[in-house]
Amino acid sequence: MTDKLINIYIISDSAGETATKLAKAAIAQYETYPIKFELYRSTFVETLDALENALDEAKELNAMVIQTLISEELVKFANEFCYKNEIFRLDPLSPLINELAVRSLEKPARIPGATHFLTPDYFNRMSAMEFAVKYDDGKDAKGFLEADIILLGVSRTSKTPLSLFLANKNFKVANLPLIPSAHIPKQLWEVDPKKIVGLTNDPVILNNIRKERMRSYGLNPDTAYSAMETIHQELKFANDLYAKLDCLVINVAQKSIEETAAIILSELGLENHNYYS
Amino acid sequence: MTDKLINIYIISDSAGETATKLAKAAIAQYETYPIKFELYRSTFVETLDALENALDEAKELNAMVIQTLISEELVKFANEFCYKNEIFRLDPLSPLINELAVRSLEKPARIPGATHFLTPDYFNRMSAMEFAVKYDDGKDAKGFLEADIILLGVSRTSKTPLSLFLANKNFKVANLPLIPSAHIPKQLWEVDPKKIVGLTNDPVILNNIRKERMRSYGLNPDTAYSAMETIHQELKFANDLYAKLDCLVINVAQKSIEETAAIILSELGLENHNYYS
């Protein structure tokens, strides 16, 4: 039996990131079924010609259309085309922009996202990413003094992806791996403990992850690295340090990066309601 | 004169990333006006109680509501609450999920995003991020042989943020900074040139960025690093190498990370229509 095929066509005047996230969130609700999903994308669409080509292709593919366009002319064209051709269309931005017009009594600038990136926020994000890479894995203890957030954790507690995810939200993050024999840099004791997060995990999960890792290296999975005794020692060392530092502790077992990050921002009081800080 | 205040309230059963992106894209169209935007978020909302609290708060704040909930019960409750209280509400996921139900003739799983992350795709993304950090800045030439994409570029051509952005799309990326005196690792010549991207920038822009960087270090901006002659030499060295390698060349001046990444995936033939590859 061949799988059913559902095509989704994303049209954006920028990179189409938001529309892609929406599509994936919806698709995730159907992934246990024998359905094949194909995602098509026309990005940086800024002319009627480019838009018409994209819509023709979407029609040809019998695709669902998700569009995130800013230009009034392009939005109108896409809507009319889809209406006339009975194409499913989601336009999640227009209702928001229209409601903002009602509330502000102002007209939207109608500047596509793609031509609208050279903001201080953008450059801060780029710096935060470079910071996270520079001060990953305890590479330079000076980073602790400059960081907004310091992540501590034993091996396989998602320190690096978590640092990068938080960097993408403009926070300067440094991280330090903890092993019992490791030297704890003196800078750590100079930092406000309210900036420090201690990551832990469940011993059984760590054991499985580490065995898997050894297997992926083509090695015997039952090494000292994966042994339960080693893991318990490491976790004890980490938990003792967290207690001494009096820092926030999070068990990342069963938590996605997004979820752990949300807890960190909330618990460290870094959630910022202001769009411009 | 005080700024107008517009509150936006995001309710999600996950981290609310998609809704936040939508809100920011809409807000960006109004940022030249004297309006203050505040973004509130209730994330990981999975119970009626938590939802009701969030909606009460949104009502109190006279906020626009953007919700990305998966549970049918919660969606229904939010819709009725907003309708009854005349609250603006955007629910971008429901139309997509419903259309998928029509096309697939299947029922959505209704599993919140937050409890739905332990997929192979998720773990591949985590590995790709660790790869990008490990092989950033030419740290280990062995990475070139394993990478899906290799970025070359002179200083300040966004190699690191671009590597991380592509890693977030599950590609293994290594990057190498180019300076005329640098040794070019022999591994680079063993790699398929179709995996290599040479980044350049406009000399005047590089000059300005570098002066700015020197100033931020508290140094005299007119150093050898920022001198036009040095920049021309570096760019010539880079362009000669790109010609020899016969690789894709992209000038990143006036391009956002998102835009450069889109060009790379399209030109290297890495755009994948299949949701599961």
Side-chain angles (χ1 to χ4, degrees):
Chain A
M1 196 185 105
T2 29
D3 289 357
K4 259 178 235 167
L5 174 66
I6 297 180
N7 292 323
I8 300 181
Y9 204 108
I10 286 162
I11 303 177
S12 172
D13 51 33
S14 179
E17 296 288 313
T18 312
T20 303
K21 271 188 173 259
L22 278 172
K24 288 193 170 178
I27 288 172
Q29 301 305 320
Y30 290 87
E31 61 190 10
T32 54
Y33 297 114
I35 305 172
K36 195 177 168 211
F37 293 98
E38 298 207 340
L39 282 184
Y40 292 82
R41 263 184 287 215
S42 281
T43 53
F44 304 100
V45 169
E46 295 195 39
T47 63
L48 270 181
D49 268 2
L51 177 59
E52 197 169 2
N53 283 341
L55 289 167
D56 282 337
E57 203 185 349
K59 185 181 165 190
E60 201 67 37
L61 290 161
N62 183 30
M64 298 162 58
V65 169
I66 308 178
Q67 60 102 328
T68 52
L69 298 163
I70 296 292
S71 148
E72 227 169 344
E73 188 192 11
L74 297 185
V75 170
K76 194 161 168 274
F77 185 89
N79 289 356
E80 286 174 3
F81 186 99
C82 291
Y83 182 77
K84 223 170 22 196
N85 292 282
E86 296 183 347
I87 296 170
F88 170 91
R89 171 194 58 85
L90 181 73
D91 170 12
L93 264 182
S94 291
L96 281 181
I97 290 177
N98 295 340
E99 176 70 11
L100 289 180
V102 169
R103 292 189 176 221
S104 67
L105 306 173
E106 304 280 9
K107 283 196 176 133
R110 301 278 179 195
I111 302 167
T115 55
H116 173 78
F117 67 91
L118 292 166
T119 60
D121 185 75
Y122 178 85
F123 289 111
N124 287 342
R125 200 162 75 243
M126 297 302 114
S127 311
M129 287 189 165
E130 287 168 359
F131 187 94
V133 170
K134 189 168 173 190
Y135 296 111
D136 182 58
D137 207 36
K139 260 177 277 180
D140 183 347
K142 282 198 297 291
F144 298 139
L145 302 173
E146 273 182 71
D148 300 314
I149 301 167
I150 295 152
L151 304 177
L152 311 178
V154 300
S155 175
R156 305 283 92 195
T157 47
S158 309
K159 291 182 296 299
T160 298
L162 193 53
S163 298
L164 299 177
F165 186 85
L166 289 164
N168 204 29
K169 297 188 174 298
N170 290 17
F171 293 101
K172 287 189 283 177
V173 187
N175 75 63
L176 178 72
L178 296 183
I179 44 172
S181 55
H183 161 73
I184 301 299
K186 67 175 191 325
Q187 285 89 342
L188 202 57
W189 303 101
E190 297 166 25
V191 169
D192 181 353
K194 287 195 190 70
K195 292 183 173 182
I196 303 178
V197 182
L199 303 173
T200 64
N201 205 334
D202 291 345
V204 176
I205 292 180
L206 281 179
N207 180 249
N208 286 334
I209 296 176
R210 291 177 177 192
K211 278 185 176 171
E212 220 26 79
R213 204 183 198 191
M214 287 298 110
R215 274 191 205 102
S216 76
Y217 291 161
L219 300 171
N220 181 346
D222 297 311
T223 59
Y225 173 72
S226 60
M228 283 304 269
E229 206 187 298
T230 313
I231 289 171
H232 280 297
Q233 274 173 10
E234 286 183 25
L235 288 175
K236 188 183 177 311
F237 174 79
N239 286 322
D240 288 351
L241 178 67
Y242 302 159
K244 257 186 260 174
L245 287 165
D246 194 22
C247 67
L248 173 67
V249 178
I250 303 177
N251 185 332
V252 301
Q254 308 299 339
K255 287 192 188 71
S256 66
I257 296 296
E258 287 81 351
E259 193 168 1
T260 308
I263 294 169
I264 290 174
L265 297 185
S266 158
E267 293 288 318
L268 299 190
L270 295 169
E271 276 275 17
N272 192 347
H273 294 311
N274 293 317
Y275 179 64
Y276 301 114
S277 55
Chain B
M1 197 185 104
T2 28
D3 289 357
K4 258 177 237 169
L5 173 66
I6 298 181
N7 292 324
I8 300 181
Y9 203 108
I10 286 161
I11 303 176
S12 172
D13 51 32
S14 180
E17 296 288 313
T18 312
T20 303
K21 271 190 174 259
L22 278 172
K24 289 194 170 178
I27 288 172
Q29 301 304 319
Y30 291 87
E31 61 189 12
T32 54
Y33 298 114
I35 305 172
K36 195 176 168 214
F37 293 97
E38 299 208 341
L39 281 184
Y40 293 82
R41 262 185 286 214
S42 280
T43 54
F44 304 100
V45 169
E46 296 194 37
T47 63
L48 270 180
D49 268 3
L51 177 60
E52 198 170 2
N53 284 340
L55 288 167
D56 282 337
E57 203 185 349
K59 185 183 165 189
E60 201 67 38
L61 291 160
N62 183 29
M64 299 163 56
V65 170
I66 309 178
Q67 60 102 327
T68 52
L69 298 164
I70 295 291
S71 148
E72 227 170 344
E73 189 192 11
L74 297 185
V75 169
K76 195 161 167 275
F77 185 89
N79 288 356
E80 286 174 3
F81 185 100
C82 291
Y83 181 77
K84 220 168 25 191
N85 292 282
E86 295 183 348
I87 297 170
F88 171 90
R89 171 194 58 85
L90 181 73
D91 170 12
L93 263 183
S94 291
L96 281 180
I97 290 178
N98 295 340
E99 175 70 11
L100 289 180
V102 169
R103 290 188 177 220
S104 68
L105 306 174
E106 304 281 8
K107 282 195 177 135
R110 302 278 179 195
I111 302 166
T115 55
H116 173 79
F117 67 90
L118 293 167
T119 61
D121 187 74
Y122 177 84
F123 289 110
N124 287 340
R125 200 161 76 243
M126 297 302 113
S127 310
M129 287 188 163
E130 286 168 358
F131 188 95
V133 171
K134 188 168 174 189
Y135 297 111
D136 183 58
D137 207 36
K139 260 176 278 177
D140 183 347
K142 283 199 296 291
F144 298 139
L145 302 173
E146 272 183 73
D148 300 315
I149 301 168
I150 294 152
L151 304 177
L152 310 178
V154 300
S155 176
R156 304 285 93 192
T157 47
S158 308
K159 292 182 295 298
T160 298
L162 192 52
S163 298
L164 298 177
F165 186 85
L166 289 164
N168 205 28
K169 297 189 174 300
N170 290 16
F171 294 102
K172 288 188 283 180
V173 186
N175 76 63
L176 180 72
L178 296 182
I179 42 172
S181 55
H183 161 74
I184 301 299
K186 67 175 190 329
Q187 285 88 341
L188 201 56
W189 303 101
E190 297 165 26
V191 169
D192 180 353
K194 288 196 189 71
K195 292 184 174 182
I196 303 178
V197 181
L199 303 174
T200 63
N201 204 334
D202 291 346
V204 176
I205 291 180
L206 280 180
N207 180 249
N208 286 334
I209 296 175
R210 289 176 179 194
K211 279 184 175 169
E212 219 28 77
R213 205 184 197 192
M214 287 299 111
R215 273 190 207 104
S216 77
Y217 291 161
L219 299 171
N220 180 346
D222 297 311
T223 59
Y225 173 72
S226 60
M228 282 305 271
E229 205 187 299
T230 313
I231 289 171
H232 280 298
Q233 274 172 9
E234 286 182 27
L235 288 175
K236 187 181 179 311
F237 174 80
N239 286 323
D240 287 351
L241 178 67
Y242 301 159
K244 256 186 260 172
L245 286 165
D246 193 23
C247 66
L248 173 68
V249 178
I250 303 177
N251 186 331
V252 301
Q254 306 300 338
K255 285 191 189 70
S256 67
I257 296 296
E258 287 81 350
E259 192 168 2
T260 308
I263 295 169
I264 290 173
L265 297 185
S266 157
E267 293 288 320
L268 299 190
L270 293 170
E271 276 276 17
N272 192 348
H273 295 311
N274 294 317
Y275 179 65
Y276 301 113
S277 53

